[in-house]
């Protein structure tokens, strides 16, 4: 008999999570809400788990087999020779309504030790499909498991097709869902194609694969905003497009400050200087540097060595994409409070370094 637990009626989910884990470890099928419908789970270590999910999938043609994980780092244990594009997309898409098909056409990593049909779950000649749900309960449950789970993503509207007793434990919720469903992307090296359109459109996904430049200073009101605005203008000129078309061309250019207070405008001197070049900075609002921003970026460009050191002291793994704006190692001094002439010197210095940067990027 199927047991149903309404998560909306629970204040503390601790007991519910414990029950879910024990049911899965006992070889049962557990259903949890996710942002694209429901996720039907079973453990690969349990004999017959994949066969049972396969029978469910036969009744719901729209069901999407996935391997459900709690964190993107786990993928390294279950797929070999992953490209830099896979890692970029995993940072930007997970957790969320996107699944990635990666790896080869054979069981790889620890999945080669799975038993029976589990070894072939969500696998075809192009690789295996992996997903990380954003929904809090589902993600927390996956974190409590010792292994990724075999999963089926099913639209809520299709559940009525299933017979009574198709699952052992169902967690329900009024959580809002993306009606378009799960987006599945096949990643092959540095190339990708949408295997299934869903909540993330083709245009939105192309933006996710683009290059993200982040210019960093201290307060994000003088140096880094000027660098952001100047570089965006240079890119647009090089690509012969409008500034607001850069995102669709695969480029995101932003700035942030290590000690920035959110929402502050750019300094009046910086706004006036760039206005002379036809660049409008009047709408700039400062933002602080965050871990998420740094890890989602492809190029972190700092105004001083101290800025770079501060970032790398906190996140040494970002060394490969964090650099000083100046190739010569010279700091760009902060002009704040020093007068218009110092701002002009700073602007000219930044502009010169940016032209070198753009030339370097164009030649790679």
């Amino acid at each position: 008999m199927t047991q149903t637990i309404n998560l909306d009626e629970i204040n503390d989910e601790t007991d519910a999570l414990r029950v879910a884990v024990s049911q899965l470890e006992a070889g049962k099928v557990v259903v949890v809400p996710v942002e694209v419908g429901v996720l039907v789970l079973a453990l690969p270590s349990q004999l017959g788990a994949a066969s049972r999910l396969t029978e469910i999938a036969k009744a719901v043609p729209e069901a999407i087999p996935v391997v459900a994980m709690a964190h993107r780092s786990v993928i390294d244990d279950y797929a070999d020779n992953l490209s830099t594009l896979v890692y970029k997309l995993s940072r930007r898409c997970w957790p969320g309504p996107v699944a990635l098909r990666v790896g080869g056409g054979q069981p790889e990593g620890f999945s080669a030790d799975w038993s029976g049909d589990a070894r072939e779950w969500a696998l075809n000649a192009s690789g295996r499909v992996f997903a990380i749900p954003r929904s809090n309960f589902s993600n927390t449950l996956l974190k409590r498991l010792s292994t990724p789970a075999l999963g089926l993503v099913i639209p809520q509207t299709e559940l009525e097709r299933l017979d009574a007793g198709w699952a052992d434990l169902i967690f329900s919720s009024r959580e809002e869902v993306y009606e378009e469903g799960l987006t599945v992307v096949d990643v092959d090296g540095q190339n990708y194609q949408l295997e299934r359109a869903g909540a993330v459109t083709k245009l939105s996904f192309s933006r996710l694969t683009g290059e993200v430049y982040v210019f960093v200073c201290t307060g994000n009101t003088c140096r880094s905003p000027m660098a952001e605005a100047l570089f965006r203008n240079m890119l647009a000129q090089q690509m012969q497009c409008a500034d607001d078309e850069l995102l669709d061309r695969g480029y995101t250019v932003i700035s942030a400050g290590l000690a920035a207070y959110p929402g502050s405008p750019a300094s009046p001197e910086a706004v006036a200087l760039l206005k002379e070049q036809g660049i409008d900075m009047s709408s700039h609002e400062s933002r602080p540097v965050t871990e998420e921003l740094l890890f989602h970026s492809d190029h972190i460009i700092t105004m001083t060595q101290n800025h770079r050191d501060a970032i790398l002291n906190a996140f040494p793994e970002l060394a490969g994409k964090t650099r000083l704006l100046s190739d010569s190692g010279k700091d760009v001094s902060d002009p704040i409070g020093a007068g218009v002439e110092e701002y002009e010197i700073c602007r000219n210095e930044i502009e010169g370094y940016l032209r070198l940067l753009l030339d370097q990027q164009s030649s790679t």
Side-chain angles (χ1 to χ4, degrees):
M1 182 178 177
T2 301
Q3 179 185 4
T4 300
I5 298 176
N6 188 341
L7 294 173
D8 298 326
E9 299 175 354
I10 298 175
N11 293 322
D12 185 352
E13 296 177 345
T14 302
D15 289 340
L17 288 165
R18 184 166 52 248
V19 170
V21 171
S22 65
Q23 288 284 290
L24 287 167
E25 291 178 343
K28 305 298 184 181
V29 170
V30 175
V31 182
V32 293
V34 290
E35 60 272 18
V36 287
V38 298
L39 179 61
V40 186
L41 297 172
L43 293 185
S45 57
Q46 302 299 318
L47 291 175
S51 297
R52 190 167 174 192
L53 292 187
T54 299
E55 290 304 310
I56 295 172
K58 289 179 181 178
V60 184
E62 293 81 2
I64 304 171
V66 301
V67 172
M69 309 179 298
H71 192 272
R72 62 177 181 268
S73 63
V74 177
I75 198 172
D76 287 310
D77 295 329
Y78 294 88
D80 299 336
N81 303 316
L82 298 177
S83 66
T84 55
L85 180 58
V86 172
Y87 292 116
K88 174 188 286 191
L89 292 176
S90 70
R91 291 194 305 269
R92 296 178 182 174
C93 298
W94 286 343
V98 175
L100 303 178
R101 185 182 296 280
V102 302
Q106 300 294 325
E108 297 174 344
F110 294 151
S111 68
D113 298 326
W114 289 349
S115 60
D117 294 342
R119 298 176 75 250
E120 309 296 326
W121 186 255
L123 181 68
N124 68 17
S126 298
R128 197 185 299 273
V129 179
F130 295 87
I132 300 180
R134 180 183 297 152
S135 301
N136 184 64
F137 183 83
S138 304
N139 195 272
T140 304
L141 171 58
L142 290 167
K143 288 176 181 176
R144 297 196 176 195
L145 301 176
S146 60
T147 178
L150 310 183
L152 270 180
V153 176
I154 299 179
Q156 287 182 329
T157 55
E158 301 300 318
L159 295 181
E160 60 187 28
R161 294 193 184 191
L162 296 165
D163 297 330
W166 65 279
D168 300 294
L169 174 60
I170 298 176
F171 291 96
S172 63
S173 173
R174 291 190 300 272
E175 181 175 339
E176 291 188 14
V177 300
Y178 296 100
E179 294 182 359
E180 301 85 355
L182 185 69
T183 296
V184 182
V185 182
D186 187 344
V187 185
D188 182 10
Q190 297 303 319
N191 300 307
Y192 75 91
Q193 63 179 9
L194 260 62
E195 184 175 311
R196 181 190 186 278
V200 180
T201 65
K202 185 176 182 179
L203 176 59
S204 297
F205 198 82
S206 69
R207 293 173 175 176
L208 289 171
T209 64
E211 295 291 295
V212 176
Y213 289 81
V214 180
F215 292 94
V216 177
C217 67
T218 303
N220 193 218
T221 58
C222 300
R223 291 167 291 178
S224 62
M226 285 197 291
E228 173 193 351
L230 287 165
F231 191 64
R232 185 183 290 118
N233 183 256
M234 291 177 185
L235 268 178
Q237 290 181 2
Q238 184 184 71
M239 304 191 73
Q240 298 181 340
C241 69
D243 179 285
D244 57 7
E245 294 176 344
L246 285 173
L247 187 58
D248 293 338
R249 300 292 187 97
Y251 291 95
T252 299
V253 184
I254 54 181
S255 62
L258 290 174
Y261 183 83
S264 297
S267 67
E269 296 90 341
V271 173
L273 270 177
L274 267 64
K275 186 177 182 180
E276 294 175 2
Q277 298 175 244
I279 301 173
D280 184 7
M281 283 179 54
S282 61
S283 62
H284 173 79
E285 294 185 358
S286 62
R287 80 177 83 199
V289 169
T290 64
E291 179 178 352
E292 181 180 18
L293 178 64
L294 293 175
F295 277 89
H296 281 198
S297 68
D298 299 290
H299 310 275
I300 303 167
I301 303 164
T302 66
M303 298 298 111
T304 71
Q305 187 64 49
N306 285 341
H307 295 142
R308 183 178 184 275
D309 290 344
I311 291 171
L312 297 186
N313 284 338
F315 308 106
E317 63 269 37
L318 298 180
K321 61 179 182 180
T322 305
R323 56 160 287 179
L324 198 62
L325 176 59
S326 164
D327 268 354
S328 64
K330 182 182 177 182
D331 289 348
V332 176
S333 298
D334 192 350
I336 191 166
V340 175
E341 288 186 2
E342 287 300 317
Y343 270 88
E344 189 169 357
I345 292 171
C346 180
R347 185 273 313 273
N348 293 342
E349 191 176 5
I350 289 172
E351 194 167 22
Y353 293 143
L354 289 174
R355 294 197 184 282
L356 291 174
L357 173 65
L358 191 59
D359 289 342
Q360 292 168 359
Q361 299 300 316
S362 300
S363 62
T364 57

